Amino acid sequence: MDVKVWMYLTYLAVSIGLTIWVARALSRNGLVFLQDVFADSRLADAVNSLLVVGFYLLNLGYVTVAMKESGPVGDASQALEQLSLKVGLVLLVLGALHFFNVFALGRYRRGRLRQQATHPPLPPVAVLPPQGGPHPVPPAGPTPPAR
């Protein structure tokens, strides 16, 4: 077999393996976060499954699109260089997808917590005068004549 074919096979094996490993780790460890975000375990499980499917689709789609190498690969050294570039890009895509998901879910969680909060989000700027209660006594002095 050609060096380029071995590079492709290695690239696919490493990329698919990394994708499956990362998806399982994120799914397992992210479920607790999703349960806190949605406050409903059934909804969190469903969103977790949808995120895993979307993760696989996006990442494996990128892996297959980025697989093509237009230039010739002459020897094993060039093949390893191209392989490291391609796997590195896959890892960057995996990381970007992960941080985007965490950012979006974090924003959703903050909004939900803000709606549930019983106190104002900011402290008052000034002290408000007391409402109700005893009224201040006027200063002592001559009493006005009664009519």
Side-chain angles (χ1 to χ4, degrees):
M1 268 201 265
D2 188 11
V3 175
K4 198 172 194 178
V5 173
W6 283 108
M7 182 187 78
Y8 285 154
L9 292 174
T10 305
Y11 169 71
L12 285 174
V14 170
S15 297
I16 291 171
L18 281 171
T19 299
I20 292 170
W21 175 70
V22 170
R24 286 183 178 173
L26 291 177
S27 172
R28 184 178 51 252
N29 297 318
L31 185 58
V32 174
F33 178 72
L34 289 173
Q35 286 172 344
D36 184 48
V37 168
F38 294 109
D40 178 7
S41 62
R42 285 184 52 220
L43 181 61
D45 288 338
V47 169
N48 196 24
S49 296
L50 292 172
L51 284 173
V52 168
V53 169
F55 182 81
Y56 279 133
L57 289 173
L58 282 172
N59 198 61
L60 293 176
Y62 175 78
V63 165
T64 55
V65 167
M67 190 169 108
K68 180 171 174 34
E69 178 60 40
S70 58
V73 178
D75 58 358
S77 174
Q78 287 179 336
L80 285 175
E81 288 173 2
Q82 290 301 320
L83 182 63
S84 68
L85 175 68
K86 290 181 179 304
V87 171
L89 289 174
V90 168
L91 292 174
L92 288 173
V93 168
L94 283 170
L97 288 172
H98 170 66
F99 281 115
F100 173 75
N101 284 338
V102 169
F103 174 75
L105 291 169
R107 283 188 59 131
Y108 176 80
R109 179 179 177 265
R110 279 192 301 275
R112 186 180 57 79
L113 291 176
R114 196 175 300 126
Q115 287 177 346
Q116 292 175 348
T118 58
H119 61 299
L122 298 173
V125 177
V127 177
L128 298 174
Q131 302 291 321
H135 295 287
V137 178
T143 8
R147 292 187 177 185

